[in-house]
Amino acid sequence: MTKVYPKAASPPQQQTSTSSRNINPVVLTVWKKSLLFNCDGFTVYDSNGNLVFRVDNYAGSKKSEVVLMDASGHPLLTVRHKRASITDNWLVYDGETTVNPRFSVAKHVNLMKAKSLAHVSSAAGSPKKKSLVYEVEGSYAQRCCVVYDDKRRCVAEIKRKEAVGGVAFGGDVFRLVMQPEIDSTVAMGLVVVLDQMYGGSSRRFHT
């Protein structure tokens, strides 16, 4: 993250092939900070220091809704906390729409399976039903999470960023490592949801 105002870059594209597991994963650096003054959110860079994703939560904005944008500020996903539900659920929509959610994320509360954080399932009517069934395990507070698909393959990981030049990074800077089987926008959308579920001070966005 040597660039404060890096040039824009398109969201990284995953490659698909029968030997996709031999392809190097995509690694993004996630900074839990907005580039805009008086905003909370995320700033996400690729391995070349280019801005890929951003989240800017303005004061006075809808506190139950968070929008994931590309580097130019175009909305990619909208995350909404589903109120009045038996379980703690978040719905994720394409763009800025709030109709026909793309998928839903339920906070895991089963103490018998404590390492499980959330379950991701396709929302009713989603055209991408077969590709969006994930289980998230680990600890978001420790920035140590694994996303498994329905075949129990690791498709994404949240990891602490290693110290560089003797400078250690805290929990506000971490890595998002993605395999070709998961779309980068979906993976970053899951980071946004996990932060809403387990991010401590960030929970004020949906009070």
Side-chain angles (χ1 to χ4, degrees):
M1 298 194 312
T2 57
K3 300 179 181 179
V4 177
Y5 298 102
K7 62 183 179 180
S10 300
Q13 299 297 313
Q14 271 64 43
Q15 303 179 53
T16 56
S17 71
T18 55
S19 59
S20 61
R21 280 279 148 180
N22 296 322
I23 300 173
N24 290 332
V26 173
V27 181
L28 301 179
T29 295
V30 182
W31 187 15
K32 191 170 164 19
K33 180 180 177 64
S34 170
L35 288 177
L36 300 182
F37 178 72
N38 199 29
C39 284
D40 291 302
F42 288 97
T43 306
V44 185
Y45 301 93
D46 65 13
S47 58
N48 295 316
N50 297 315
L51 180 63
V52 180
F53 298 116
R54 61 188 296 176
V55 173
D56 301 309
N57 295 296
Y58 296 89
S61 62
K62 295 181 180 179
K63 298 185 184 300
S64 61
E65 184 174 293
V66 179
V67 178
L68 174 66
M69 300 177 289
D70 64 14
S72 300
H74 297 124
L76 300 174
L77 296 174
T78 295
V79 175
R80 300 191 83 188
H81 189 209
K82 186 178 180 181
R83 297 181 181 277
S85 60
I86 297 177
T87 58
D88 222 351
N89 275 283
W90 277 256
L91 297 176
V92 182
Y93 302 82
D94 282 316
E96 285 186 299
T97 65
T98 54
V99 179
N100 297 325
R102 181 170 177 179
F103 57 94
S104 64
V105 187
K107 187 174 183 179
H108 192 85
V109 294
N110 187 346
L111 297 179
M112 298 299 292
K113 195 177 181 183
K115 67 179 180 178
S116 181
L117 299 179
H119 179 73
V120 186
S121 59
S122 297
S126 170
K128 303 176 182 180
K129 182 176 181 180
K130 293 183 179 180
S131 62
L132 288 170
V133 179
Y134 304 116
E135 190 78 21
V136 185
E137 297 183 357
S139 171
Y140 180 74
Q142 297 298 320
R143 303 300 189 256
C144 182
C145 301
V146 180
V147 180
Y148 295 100
D149 66 7
D150 57 348
K151 297 179 181 178
R152 197 60 185 176
R153 296 177 299 182
C154 170
V155 294
E157 294 179 86
I158 295 171
K159 297 183 175 182
R160 284 188 173 273
K161 189 172 178 63
E162 301 88 348
V164 177
V167 178
F169 295 98
D172 285 349
V173 180
F174 54 95
R175 294 188 300 152
L176 176 60
V177 183
M178 299 167 293
Q179 299 295 334
E181 291 85 359
I182 190 169
D183 180 79
S184 61
T185 301
V186 171
M188 188 58 210
L190 293 181
V191 172
V192 173
V193 175
L194 288 172
D195 193 71
Q196 290 292 288
M197 289 180 174
Y198 301 102
S201 61
S202 65
R203 290 182 62 84
R204 67 181 178 274
F205 298 144
H206 57 265
T207 55

mmCIF file of all heavy atoms in Angstrom, residues 2-52:
data_model
loop_
_atom_site.group_PDB
_atom_site.id
_atom_site.type_symbol
_atom_site.label_atom_id
_atom_site.label_comp_id
_atom_site.label_asym_id
_atom_site.label_seq_id
_atom_site.Cartn_x
_atom_site.Cartn_y
_atom_site.Cartn_z
ATOM 1 N N THR A 2 1.765 1.361 -0.978
ATOM 2 C CA THR A 2 2.648 2.502 -1.055
ATOM 3 C C THR A 2 1.987 3.692 -1.719
ATOM 4 O O THR A 2 2.493 4.795 -1.640
ATOM 5 C CB THR A 2 3.911 2.121 -1.833
ATOM 6 O OG1 THR A 2 3.538 1.648 -3.134
ATOM 7 C CG2 THR A 2 4.679 1.027 -1.101
ATOM 8 N N LYS A 3 0.847 3.486 -2.381
ATOM 9 C CA LYS A 3 0.162 4.559 -3.062
ATOM 10 C C LYS A 3 -1.067 4.977 -2.265
ATOM 11 O O LYS A 3 -1.912 4.163 -1.945
ATOM 12 C CB LYS A 3 -0.280 4.114 -4.459
ATOM 13 C CG LYS A 3 0.880 3.675 -5.361
ATOM 14 C CD LYS A 3 0.351 3.239 -6.716
ATOM 15 C CE LYS A 3 1.479 2.781 -7.619
ATOM 16 N NZ LYS A 3 0.976 2.341 -8.935
ATOM 17 N N VAL A 4 -1.140 6.282 -1.952
ATOM 18 C CA VAL A 4 -2.311 6.758 -1.233
ATOM 19 C C VAL A 4 -3.482 6.925 -2.170
ATOM 20 O O VAL A 4 -4.622 6.630 -1.844
ATOM 21 C CB VAL A 4 -1.979 8.091 -0.531
ATOM 22 C CG1 VAL A 4 -3.212 8.654 0.166
ATOM 23 C CG2 VAL A 4 -0.848 7.898 0.465
ATOM 24 N N TYR A 5 -3.229 7.389 -3.377
ATOM 25 C CA TYR A 5 -4.276 7.547 -4.386
ATOM 26 C C TYR A 5 -3.871 6.774 -5.638
ATOM 27 O O TYR A 5 -3.486 7.353 -6.644
ATOM 28 C CB TYR A 5 -4.493 9.024 -4.729
ATOM 29 C CG TYR A 5 -4.942 9.838 -3.553
ATOM 30 C CD1 TYR A 5 -4.052 10.647 -2.873
ATOM 31 C CD2 TYR A 5 -6.253 9.778 -3.099
ATOM 32 C CE1 TYR A 5 -4.445 11.391 -1.774
ATOM 33 C CE2 TYR A 5 -6.663 10.511 -1.999
ATOM 34 C CZ TYR A 5 -5.756 11.322 -1.342
ATOM 35 O OH TYR A 5 -6.153 12.048 -0.254
ATOM 36 N N PRO A 6 -3.903 5.461 -5.584
ATOM 37 C CA PRO A 6 -3.459 4.651 -6.724
ATOM 38 C C PRO A 6 -4.417 4.748 -7.887
ATOM 39 O O PRO A 6 -5.563 5.128 -7.743
ATOM 40 C CB PRO A 6 -3.458 3.221 -6.149
ATOM 41 C CG PRO A 6 -4.500 3.273 -5.088
ATOM 42 C CD PRO A 6 -4.417 4.661 -4.492
ATOM 43 N N LYS A 7 -3.927 4.390 -9.051
ATOM 44 C CA LYS A 7 -4.787 4.404 -10.228
ATOM 45 C C LYS A 7 -5.820 3.301 -10.138
ATOM 46 O O LYS A 7 -5.624 2.300 -9.453
ATOM 47 C CB LYS A 7 -3.952 4.230 -11.491
ATOM 48 C CG LYS A 7 -3.199 2.900 -11.570
ATOM 49 C CD LYS A 7 -2.341 2.857 -12.812
ATOM 50 C CE LYS A 7 -1.571 1.525 -12.889
ATOM 51 N NZ LYS A 7 -0.736 1.449 -14.092
ATOM 52 N N ALA A 8 -6.923 3.492 -10.803
ATOM 53 C CA ALA A 8 -8.017 2.525 -10.735
ATOM 54 C C ALA A 8 -7.668 1.270 -11.509
ATOM 55 O O ALA A 8 -6.962 1.296 -12.509
ATOM 56 C CB ALA A 8 -9.295 3.142 -11.298
ATOM 57 N N ALA A 9 -8.210 0.158 -11.047
ATOM 58 C CA ALA A 9 -8.023 -1.116 -11.732
ATOM 59 C C ALA A 9 -9.334 -1.863 -11.717
ATOM 60 O O ALA A 9 -10.147 -1.706 -10.816
ATOM 61 C CB ALA A 9 -6.935 -1.949 -11.050
ATOM 62 N N SER A 10 -9.559 -2.680 -12.723
ATOM 63 C CA SER A 10 -10.773 -3.485 -12.776
ATOM 64 C C SER A 10 -10.677 -4.604 -11.751
ATOM 65 O O SER A 10 -9.583 -5.068 -11.422
ATOM 66 C CB SER A 10 -10.952 -4.094 -14.171
ATOM 67 O OG SER A 10 -11.042 -3.071 -15.143
ATOM 68 N N PRO A 11 -11.831 -5.049 -11.197
ATOM 69 C CA PRO A 11 -11.806 -6.191 -10.277
ATOM 70 C C PRO A 11 -11.102 -7.371 -10.917
ATOM 71 O O PRO A 11 -11.308 -7.651 -12.104
ATOM 72 C CB PRO A 11 -13.291 -6.479 -10.041
ATOM 73 C CG PRO A 11 -13.960 -5.169 -10.255
ATOM 74 C CD PRO A 11 -13.187 -4.511 -11.369
ATOM 75 N N PRO A 12 -10.218 -8.040 -10.191
ATOM 76 C CA PRO A 12 -9.468 -9.154 -10.764
ATOM 77 C C PRO A 12 -10.386 -10.241 -11.269
ATOM 78 O O PRO A 12 -11.374 -10.590 -10.635
ATOM 79 C CB PRO A 12 -8.599 -9.636 -9.598
ATOM 80 C CG PRO A 12 -9.268 -9.129 -8.377
ATOM 81 C CD PRO A 12 -9.918 -7.842 -8.770
ATOM 82 N N GLN A 13 -10.077 -10.789 -12.422
ATOM 83 C CA GLN A 13 -10.886 -11.831 -13.037
ATOM 84 C C GLN A 13 -10.298 -13.189 -12.724
ATOM 85 O O GLN A 13 -9.106 -13.427 -12.886
ATOM 86 C CB GLN A 13 -10.937 -11.645 -14.563
ATOM 87 C CG GLN A 13 -11.557 -10.320 -14.988
ATOM 88 C CD GLN A 13 -12.996 -10.204 -14.563
ATOM 89 O OE1 GLN A 13 -13.779 -11.133 -14.753
ATOM 90 N NE2 GLN A 13 -13.354 -9.061 -13.989
ATOM 91 N N GLN A 14 -11.144 -14.107 -12.272
ATOM 92 C CA GLN A 14 -10.694 -15.460 -11.999
ATOM 93 C C GLN A 14 -10.696 -16.287 -13.281
ATOM 94 O O GLN A 14 -11.571 -16.133 -14.131
ATOM 95 C CB GLN A 14 -11.615 -16.132 -10.972
ATOM 96 C CG GLN A 14 -11.211 -15.905 -9.533
ATOM 97 C CD GLN A 14 -11.294 -14.464 -9.124
ATOM 98 O OE1 GLN A 14 -12.253 -13.792 -9.457
ATOM 99 N NE2 GLN A 14 -10.301 -13.979 -8.419
ATOM 100 N N GLN A 15 -9.687 -17.156 -13.407
ATOM 101 C CA GLN A 15 -9.601 -18.032 -14.555
ATOM 102 C C GLN A 15 -10.246 -19.365 -14.209
ATOM 103 O O GLN A 15 -10.174 -19.834 -13.085
ATOM 104 C CB GLN A 15 -8.139 -18.265 -14.948
ATOM 105 C CG GLN A 15 -7.388 -16.971 -15.248
ATOM 106 C CD GLN A 15 -5.946 -17.236 -15.604
ATOM 107 O OE1 GLN A 15 -5.672 -18.032 -16.488
ATOM 108 N NE2 GLN A 15 -5.031 -16.586 -14.919
ATOM 109 N N THR A 16 -10.873 -19.976 -15.179
ATOM 110 C CA THR A 16 -11.503 -21.268 -14.942
ATOM 111 C C THR A 16 -10.966 -22.294 -15.924
ATOM 112 O O THR A 16 -10.891 -22.049 -17.124
ATOM 113 C CB THR A 16 -13.032 -21.177 -15.108
ATOM 114 O OG1 THR A 16 -13.332 -20.662 -16.415
ATOM 115 C CG2 THR A 16 -13.627 -20.234 -14.072
ATOM 116 N N SER A 17 -10.593 -23.454 -15.407
ATOM 117 C CA SER A 17 -10.121 -24.551 -16.235
ATOM 118 C C SER A 17 -10.111 -25.791 -15.374
ATOM 119 O O SER A 17 -10.261 -25.736 -14.152
ATOM 120 C CB SER A 17 -8.708 -24.280 -16.775
ATOM 121 O OG SER A 17 -7.754 -24.360 -15.746
ATOM 122 N N THR A 18 -9.905 -26.923 -15.991
ATOM 123 C CA THR A 18 -9.879 -28.171 -15.232
ATOM 124 C C THR A 18 -8.681 -28.235 -14.317
ATOM 125 O O THR A 18 -8.659 -29.000 -13.362
ATOM 126 C CB THR A 18 -9.851 -29.374 -16.205
ATOM 127 O OG1 THR A 18 -8.736 -29.225 -17.093
ATOM 128 C CG2 THR A 18 -11.132 -29.432 -17.005
ATOM 129 N N SER A 19 -7.641 -27.413 -14.601
ATOM 130 C CA SER A 19 -6.442 -27.415 -13.768
ATOM 131 C C SER A 19 -6.325 -26.113 -12.994
ATOM 132 O O SER A 19 -5.238 -25.635 -12.720
ATOM 133 C CB SER A 19 -5.190 -27.613 -14.641
ATOM 134 O OG SER A 19 -5.101 -26.580 -15.613
ATOM 135 N N SER A 20 -7.470 -25.536 -12.638
ATOM 136 C CA SER A 20 -7.467 -24.227 -11.995
ATOM 137 C C SER A 20 -6.707 -24.226 -10.676
ATOM 138 O O SER A 20 -6.193 -23.200 -10.250
ATOM 139 C CB SER A 20 -8.904 -23.744 -11.772
ATOM 140 O OG SER A 20 -9.602 -24.630 -10.927
ATOM 141 N N ARG A 21 -6.612 -25.364 -10.013
ATOM 142 C CA ARG A 21 -5.920 -25.426 -8.737
ATOM 143 C C ARG A 21 -4.427 -25.186 -8.903
ATOM 144 O O ARG A 21 -3.718 -24.967 -7.939
ATOM 145 C CB ARG A 21 -6.166 -26.772 -8.079
ATOM 146 C CG ARG A 21 -7.514 -26.853 -7.370
ATOM 147 C CD ARG A 21 -7.456 -26.208 -6.019
ATOM 148 N NE ARG A 21 -8.723 -25.614 -5.640
ATOM 149 C CZ ARG A 21 -8.927 -24.988 -4.498
ATOM 150 N NH1 ARG A 21 -7.958 -24.820 -3.642
ATOM 151 N NH2 ARG A 21 -10.092 -24.460 -4.229
ATOM 152 N N ASN A 22 -3.909 -25.262 -10.123
ATOM 153 C CA ASN A 22 -2.498 -25.021 -10.374
ATOM 154 C C ASN A 22 -2.220 -23.549 -10.667
ATOM 155 O O ASN A 22 -1.064 -23.157 -10.813
ATOM 156 C CB ASN A 22 -2.007 -25.875 -11.556
ATOM 157 C CG ASN A 22 -2.102 -27.366 -11.250
ATOM 158 O OD1 ASN A 22 -1.845 -27.781 -10.129
ATOM 159 N ND2 ASN A 22 -2.473 -28.147 -12.248
ATOM 160 N N ILE A 23 -3.254 -22.746 -10.783
ATOM 161 C CA ILE A 23 -3.096 -21.332 -11.051
ATOM 162 C C ILE A 23 -2.834 -20.608 -9.750
ATOM 163 O O ILE A 23 -3.432 -20.906 -8.726
ATOM 164 C CB ILE A 23 -4.363 -20.763 -11.727
ATOM 165 C CG1 ILE A 23 -4.613 -21.481 -13.057
ATOM 166 C CG2 ILE A 23 -4.243 -19.263 -11.959
ATOM 167 C CD1 ILE A 23 -5.916 -21.103 -13.706
ATOM 168 N N ASN A 24 -1.927 -19.642 -9.780
ATOM 169 C CA ASN A 24 -1.638 -18.889 -8.573
ATOM 170 C C ASN A 24 -2.882 -18.144 -8.114
ATOM 171 O O ASN A 24 -3.611 -17.569 -8.920
ATOM 172 C CB ASN A 24 -0.505 -17.887 -8.835
ATOM 173 C CG ASN A 24 0.829 -18.556 -9.042
ATOM 174 O OD1 ASN A 24 1.073 -19.639 -8.517
ATOM 175 N ND2 ASN A 24 1.695 -17.919 -9.812
ATOM 176 N N PRO A 25 -3.140 -18.127 -6.821
ATOM 177 C CA PRO A 25 -4.319 -17.421 -6.319
ATOM 178 C C PRO A 25 -4.173 -15.916 -6.488
ATOM 179 O O PRO A 25 -3.069 -15.381 -6.612
ATOM 180 C CB PRO A 25 -4.355 -17.814 -4.840
ATOM 181 C CG PRO A 25 -2.933 -18.126 -4.502
ATOM 182 C CD PRO A 25 -2.364 -18.755 -5.739
ATOM 183 N N VAL A 26 -5.302 -15.225 -6.487
ATOM 184 C CA VAL A 26 -5.314 -13.772 -6.508
ATOM 185 C C VAL A 26 -5.210 -13.282 -5.067
ATOM 186 O O VAL A 26 -5.941 -13.756 -4.193
ATOM 187 C CB VAL A 26 -6.611 -13.240 -7.162
ATOM 188 C CG1 VAL A 26 -6.708 -11.727 -7.021
ATOM 189 C CG2 VAL A 26 -6.667 -13.647 -8.630
ATOM 190 N N VAL A 27 -4.309 -12.355 -4.813
ATOM 191 C CA VAL A 27 -4.100 -11.837 -3.462
ATOM 192 C C VAL A 27 -4.372 -10.335 -3.459
ATOM 193 O O VAL A 27 -3.762 -9.578 -4.219
ATOM 194 C CB VAL A 27 -2.673 -12.118 -2.956
ATOM 195 C CG1 VAL A 27 -2.509 -11.582 -1.536
ATOM 196 C CG2 VAL A 27 -2.364 -13.606 -3.002
ATOM 197 N N LEU A 28 -5.295 -9.911 -2.618
ATOM 198 C CA LEU A 28 -5.607 -8.498 -2.452
ATOM 199 C C LEU A 28 -5.209 -8.049 -1.047
ATOM 200 O O LEU A 28 -5.242 -8.839 -0.105
ATOM 201 C CB LEU A 28 -7.104 -8.241 -2.651
ATOM 202 C CG LEU A 28 -7.699 -8.637 -3.999
ATOM 203 C CD1 LEU A 28 -9.197 -8.329 -4.019
ATOM 204 C CD2 LEU A 28 -6.999 -7.918 -5.149
ATOM 205 N N THR A 29 -4.836 -6.795 -0.929
ATOM 206 C CA THR A 29 -4.579 -6.192 0.377
ATOM 207 C C THR A 29 -5.791 -5.358 0.764
ATOM 208 O O THR A 29 -6.195 -4.459 0.023
ATOM 209 C CB THR A 29 -3.326 -5.302 0.339
ATOM 210 O OG1 THR A 29 -2.176 -6.121 0.093
ATOM 211 C CG2 THR A 29 -3.128 -4.594 1.682
ATOM 212 N N VAL A 30 -6.372 -5.688 1.901
ATOM 213 C CA VAL A 30 -7.583 -5.018 2.371
ATOM 214 C C VAL A 30 -7.206 -4.084 3.516
ATOM 215 O O VAL A 30 -6.605 -4.510 4.510
ATOM 216 C CB VAL A 30 -8.634 -6.043 2.853
ATOM 217 C CG1 VAL A 30 -9.912 -5.330 3.289
ATOM 218 C CG2 VAL A 30 -8.938 -7.048 1.739
ATOM 219 N N TRP A 31 -7.572 -2.831 3.376
ATOM 220 C CA TRP A 31 -7.313 -1.828 4.405
ATOM 221 C C TRP A 31 -8.652 -1.381 4.954
ATOM 222 O O TRP A 31 -9.490 -0.865 4.216
ATOM 223 C CB TRP A 31 -6.568 -0.654 3.789
ATOM 224 C CG TRP A 31 -6.083 0.386 4.760
ATOM 225 C CD1 TRP A 31 -5.972 0.284 6.114
ATOM 226 C CD2 TRP A 31 -5.629 1.698 4.409
ATOM 227 N NE1 TRP A 31 -5.471 1.442 6.642
ATOM 228 C CE2 TRP A 31 -5.247 2.335 5.632
ATOM 229 C CE3 TRP A 31 -5.484 2.392 3.210
ATOM 230 C CZ2 TRP A 31 -4.760 3.633 5.662
ATOM 231 C CZ3 TRP A 31 -4.989 3.684 3.246
ATOM 232 C CH2 TRP A 31 -4.634 4.295 4.461
ATOM 233 N N LYS A 32 -8.868 -1.591 6.232
ATOM 234 C CA LYS A 32 -10.148 -1.237 6.842
ATOM 235 C C LYS A 32 -10.171 0.263 7.130
ATOM 236 O O LYS A 32 -10.116 0.714 8.276
ATOM 237 C CB LYS A 32 -10.383 -2.053 8.108
ATOM 238 C CG LYS A 32 -11.797 -1.922 8.650
ATOM 239 C CD LYS A 32 -12.041 -2.918 9.753
ATOM 240 C CE LYS A 32 -13.247 -2.618 10.597
ATOM 241 N NZ LYS A 32 -14.243 -1.726 10.053
ATOM 242 N N LYS A 33 -10.240 1.026 6.052
ATOM 243 C CA LYS A 33 -10.227 2.482 6.139
ATOM 244 C C LYS A 33 -10.731 3.048 4.820
ATOM 245 O O LYS A 33 -10.390 2.559 3.754
ATOM 246 C CB LYS A 33 -8.812 2.986 6.422
ATOM 247 C CG LYS A 33 -8.691 4.500 6.533
ATOM 248 C CD LYS A 33 -7.261 4.895 6.823
ATOM 249 C CE LYS A 33 -7.091 6.407 6.869
ATOM 250 N NZ LYS A 33 -7.846 7.031 7.977
ATOM 251 N N SER A 34 -11.541 4.072 4.902
ATOM 252 C CA SER A 34 -12.006 4.757 3.697
ATOM 253 C C SER A 34 -10.992 5.821 3.290
ATOM 254 O O SER A 34 -10.324 6.417 4.146
ATOM 255 C CB SER A 34 -13.370 5.415 3.956
ATOM 256 O OG SER A 34 -13.714 6.271 2.888
ATOM 257 N N LEU A 35 -10.869 6.053 1.993
ATOM 258 C CA LEU A 35 -10.009 7.124 1.509
ATOM 259 C C LEU A 35 -10.652 8.496 1.688
ATOM 260 O O LEU A 35 -9.996 9.518 1.537
ATOM 261 C CB LEU A 35 -9.675 6.912 0.027
ATOM 262 C CG LEU A 35 -8.715 5.766 -0.286
ATOM 263 C CD1 LEU A 35 -8.532 5.629 -1.783
ATOM 264 C CD2 LEU A 35 -7.364 6.003 0.382
ATOM 265 N N LEU A 36 -11.943 8.511 1.998
ATOM 266 C CA LEU A 36 -12.661 9.769 2.148
ATOM 267 C C LEU A 36 -12.668 10.220 3.600
ATOM 268 O O LEU A 36 -12.777 9.407 4.521
ATOM 269 C CB LEU A 36 -14.099 9.627 1.645
ATOM 270 C CG LEU A 36 -14.267 9.236 0.181
ATOM 271 C CD1 LEU A 36 -15.744 9.178 -0.174
ATOM 272 C CD2 LEU A 36 -13.537 10.212 -0.740
ATOM 273 N N PHE A 37 -12.575 11.502 3.806
ATOM 274 C CA PHE A 37 -12.579 12.075 5.144
ATOM 275 C C PHE A 37 -13.937 11.856 5.806
ATOM 276 O O PHE A 37 -14.980 11.969 5.169
ATOM 277 C CB PHE A 37 -12.271 13.575 5.061
ATOM 278 C CG PHE A 37 -12.306 14.271 6.397
ATOM 279 C CD1 PHE A 37 -11.293 14.057 7.335
ATOM 280 C CD2 PHE A 37 -13.355 15.118 6.720
ATOM 281 C CE1 PHE A 37 -11.319 14.690 8.562
ATOM 282 C CE2 PHE A 37 -13.396 15.752 7.958
ATOM 283 C CZ PHE A 37 -12.371 15.536 8.879
ATOM 284 N N ASN A 38 -13.903 11.542 7.102
ATOM 285 C CA ASN A 38 -15.120 11.381 7.898
ATOM 286 C C ASN A 38 -15.996 10.228 7.406
ATOM 287 O O ASN A 38 -17.223 10.288 7.460
ATOM 288 C CB ASN A 38 -15.945 12.678 7.907
ATOM 289 C CG ASN A 38 -16.941 12.697 9.058
ATOM 290 O OD1 ASN A 38 -16.705 12.088 10.095
ATOM 291 N ND2 ASN A 38 -18.062 13.372 8.874
ATOM 292 N N CYS A 39 -15.358 9.185 6.899
ATOM 293 C CA CYS A 39 -16.071 7.981 6.455
ATOM 294 C C CYS A 39 -15.392 6.752 7.038
ATOM 295 O O CYS A 39 -14.186 6.760 7.309
ATOM 296 C CB CYS A 39 -16.077 7.867 4.934
ATOM 297 S SG CYS A 39 -17.217 8.967 4.099
ATOM 298 N N ASP A 40 -16.172 5.710 7.246
ATOM 299 C CA ASP A 40 -15.640 4.394 7.578
ATOM 300 C C ASP A 40 -15.809 3.508 6.358
ATOM 301 O O ASP A 40 -16.673 3.745 5.522
ATOM 302 C CB ASP A 40 -16.394 3.787 8.763
ATOM 303 C CG ASP A 40 -16.104 4.534 10.056
ATOM 304 O OD1 ASP A 40 -14.922 4.609 10.431
ATOM 305 O OD2 ASP A 40 -17.061 5.034 10.667
ATOM 306 N N GLY A 41 -15.014 2.456 6.268
ATOM 307 C CA GLY A 41 -15.192 1.554 5.133
ATOM 308 C C GLY A 41 -13.966 0.719 4.867
ATOM 309 O O GLY A 41 -13.216 0.358 5.781
ATOM 310 N N PHE A 42 -13.739 0.418 3.587
ATOM 311 C CA PHE A 42 -12.608 -0.392 3.148
ATOM 312 C C PHE A 42 -11.969 0.224 1.915
ATOM 313 O O PHE A 42 -12.640 0.859 1.094
ATOM 314 C CB PHE A 42 -13.070 -1.811 2.768
ATOM 315 C CG PHE A 42 -13.468 -2.673 3.932
ATOM 316 C CD1 PHE A 42 -14.800 -2.797 4.297
ATOM 317 C CD2 PHE A 42 -12.515 -3.370 4.657
ATOM 318 C CE1 PHE A 42 -15.181 -3.594 5.357
ATOM 319 C CE2 PHE A 42 -12.884 -4.172 5.724
ATOM 320 C CZ PHE A 42 -14.213 -4.293 6.076
ATOM 321 N N THR A 43 -10.668 0.006 1.789
ATOM 322 C CA THR A 43 -9.934 0.329 0.578
ATOM 323 C C THR A 43 -9.128 -0.916 0.229
ATOM 324 O O THR A 43 -8.394 -1.435 1.078
ATOM 325 C CB THR A 43 -8.992 1.524 0.793
ATOM 326 O OG1 THR A 43 -9.750 2.622 1.318
ATOM 327 C CG2 THR A 43 -8.362 1.953 -0.514
ATOM 328 N N VAL A 44 -9.268 -1.411 -1.002
ATOM 329 C CA VAL A 44 -8.692 -2.712 -1.375
ATOM 330 C C VAL A 44 -7.786 -2.542 -2.590
ATOM 331 O O VAL A 44 -8.191 -1.945 -3.601
ATOM 332 C CB VAL A 44 -9.800 -3.739 -1.680
ATOM 333 C CG1 VAL A 44 -9.197 -5.115 -1.943
ATOM 334 C CG2 VAL A 44 -10.795 -3.811 -0.522
ATOM 335 N N TYR A 45 -6.566 -3.078 -2.486
ATOM 336 C CA TYR A 45 -5.562 -2.948 -3.536
ATOM 337 C C TYR A 45 -5.174 -4.322 -4.093
ATOM 338 O O TYR A 45 -5.192 -5.322 -3.371
ATOM 339 C CB TYR A 45 -4.296 -2.291 -2.988
ATOM 340 C CG TYR A 45 -4.505 -0.912 -2.407
ATOM 341 C CD1 TYR A 45 -4.764 -0.740 -1.050
ATOM 342 C CD2 TYR A 45 -4.427 0.222 -3.213
ATOM 343 C CE1 TYR A 45 -4.943 0.520 -0.513
ATOM 344 C CE2 TYR A 45 -4.600 1.481 -2.692
ATOM 345 C CZ TYR A 45 -4.864 1.632 -1.335
ATOM 346 O OH TYR A 45 -5.042 2.888 -0.804
ATOM 347 N N ASP A 46 -4.762 -4.336 -5.361
ATOM 348 C CA ASP A 46 -4.214 -5.567 -5.924
ATOM 349 C C ASP A 46 -2.714 -5.611 -5.647
ATOM 350 O O ASP A 46 -2.157 -4.734 -4.968
ATOM 351 C CB ASP A 46 -4.535 -5.690 -7.415
ATOM 352 C CG ASP A 46 -3.871 -4.626 -8.278
ATOM 353 O OD1 ASP A 46 -2.954 -3.925 -7.789
ATOM 354 O OD2 ASP A 46 -4.274 -4.483 -9.450
ATOM 355 N N SER A 47 -2.050 -6.631 -6.186
ATOM 356 C CA SER A 47 -0.625 -6.827 -5.889
ATOM 357 C C SER A 47 0.265 -5.760 -6.496
ATOM 358 O O SER A 47 1.443 -5.640 -6.132
ATOM 359 C CB SER A 47 -0.184 -8.216 -6.377
ATOM 360 O OG SER A 47 -0.426 -8.341 -7.774
ATOM 361 N N ASN A 48 -0.273 -4.964 -7.433
ATOM 362 C CA ASN A 48 0.492 -3.885 -8.044
ATOM 363 C C ASN A 48 0.224 -2.531 -7.390
ATOM 364 O O ASN A 48 0.723 -1.502 -7.847
ATOM 365 C CB ASN A 48 0.168 -3.792 -9.542
ATOM 366 C CG ASN A 48 0.617 -5.021 -10.300
ATOM 367 O OD1 ASN A 48 1.717 -5.522 -10.095
ATOM 368 N ND2 ASN A 48 -0.244 -5.514 -11.181
ATOM 369 N N GLY A 49 -0.567 -2.524 -6.332
ATOM 370 C CA GLY A 49 -0.876 -1.279 -5.650
ATOM 371 C C GLY A 49 -2.009 -0.496 -6.269
ATOM 372 O O GLY A 49 -2.231 0.664 -5.920
ATOM 373 N N ASN A 50 -2.748 -1.115 -7.187
ATOM 374 C CA ASN A 50 -3.881 -0.445 -7.813
ATOM 375 C C ASN A 50 -5.147 -0.615 -6.977
ATOM 376 O O ASN A 50 -5.391 -1.683 -6.422
ATOM 377 C CB ASN A 50 -4.130 -1.016 -9.214
ATOM 378 C CG ASN A 50 -2.964 -0.779 -10.145
ATOM 379 O OD1 ASN A 50 -2.413 0.311 -10.201
ATOM 380 N ND2 ASN A 50 -2.565 -1.819 -10.861
ATOM 381 N N LEU A 51 -5.934 0.416 -6.915
ATOM 382 C CA LEU A 51 -7.200 0.362 -6.197
ATOM 383 C C LEU A 51 -8.188 -0.516 -6.955
ATOM 384 O O LEU A 51 -8.395 -0.335 -8.165
ATOM 385 C CB LEU A 51 -7.767 1.780 -6.049
ATOM 386 C CG LEU A 51 -9.096 1.926 -5.307
ATOM 387 C CD1 LEU A 51 -8.941 1.476 -3.865
ATOM 388 C CD2 LEU A 51 -9.574 3.371 -5.374
ATOM 389 N N VAL A 52 -8.799 -1.483 -6.262
ATOM 390 C CA VAL A 52 -9.713 -2.434 -6.901
ATOM 391 C C VAL A 52 -11.142 -2.272 -6.369
ATOM 392 O O VAL A 52 -12.097 -2.176 -7.130
ATOM 393 C CB VAL A 52 -9.241 -3.891 -6.684
ATOM 394 C CG1 VAL A 52 -10.206 -4.868 -7.348
ATOM 395 C CG2 VAL A 52 -7.845 -4.082 -7.236
#
